[in-house]
Amino acid sequence: MTNYCGDRRTVGHGEVAICGEMGPCGVHQCAACELKDYKAAHPDAPEGTNTADDGLVKAIARVAHEVVAAHSAAYGDYTTKPWETLSPQEQNHTRAKVAAFLNNPKLHPTAQHGPTVAALSSSQRAAAYVFHGVVHAIAREQTRA
């Protein structure tokens, strides 16, 4: 069974993606629901499977969010709020995205945008790649001996 929570998320410049609703590229699924599906599909996942509550995931989420905010500001887009002003739901969503990327390294950088990916500007697509890159760079650094 595929999880859809109905969470309404603004992506980019006012485009709205709703988890479980059809869009131009198919049905959108938020990162939190993707993580639930991953865990359901992989019940034998190793003990080290990342969750949105892990300390490292929380730290990576904050850093990746702030880097994307700075990246967006460089393009004149100041709509990405500072981490401290995000609602708990927005912070949880970002942490779930990080956990999903860590648990599934082949997940595409724009996967969290679902069907709205076709409507993303080049700076928004770049921000998705930056977020993805920061997540994996920090994770690689943490595993260095």
Side-chain angles (χ1 to χ4, degrees), residues 80-102:
T80 304
K81 300 184 289 188
W83 182 260
E84 293 80 19
T85 64
L86 294 178
S87 70
Q89 182 182 12
E90 291 169 317
Q91 289 181 359
N92 287 337
H93 175 81
T94 303
R95 287 193 295 265
K97 256 190 333 193
V98 169
F101 282 142
L102 294 175

Side-chain angles (χ1 to χ4, degrees), residues 19-135:
C19 184
E21 286 199 3
M22 182 62 78
C25 298
V27 178
H28 172 65
Q29 186 180 35
C30 71
C33 289
E34 283 180 14
L35 182 58
K36 286 179 193 173
D37 286 350
Y38 177 84
K39 288 186 173 216
H42 300 89
D44 57 341
E47 184 66 29
T49 301
N50 299 286
T51 69
D53 295 323
D54 295 343
L56 180 60
V57 169
K58 288 178 178 180
I60 292 173
R62 181 187 186 110
V63 170
H65 175 82
E66 293 294 346
V67 169
V68 166
H71 173 271
S72 298
Y75 282 94
D77 177 359
Y78 299 96
T79 59
T80 304
K81 300 184 289 188
W83 182 260
E84 293 80 19
T85 64
L86 294 178
S87 70
Q89 182 182 12
E90 291 169 317
Q91 289 181 359
N92 287 337
H93 175 81
T94 303
R95 287 193 295 265
K97 256 190 333 193
V98 169
F101 282 142
L102 294 175
N103 290 333
N104 186 1
K106 294 183 180 185
L107 192 61
H108 194 273
T110 59
Q112 76 269 16
H113 293 286
T116 62
V117 72
L120 295 178
S121 68
S122 59
S123 65
Q124 291 167 323
R125 279 191 299 281
Y129 277 83
V130 167
F131 185 93
H132 184 266
V134 168
V135 168

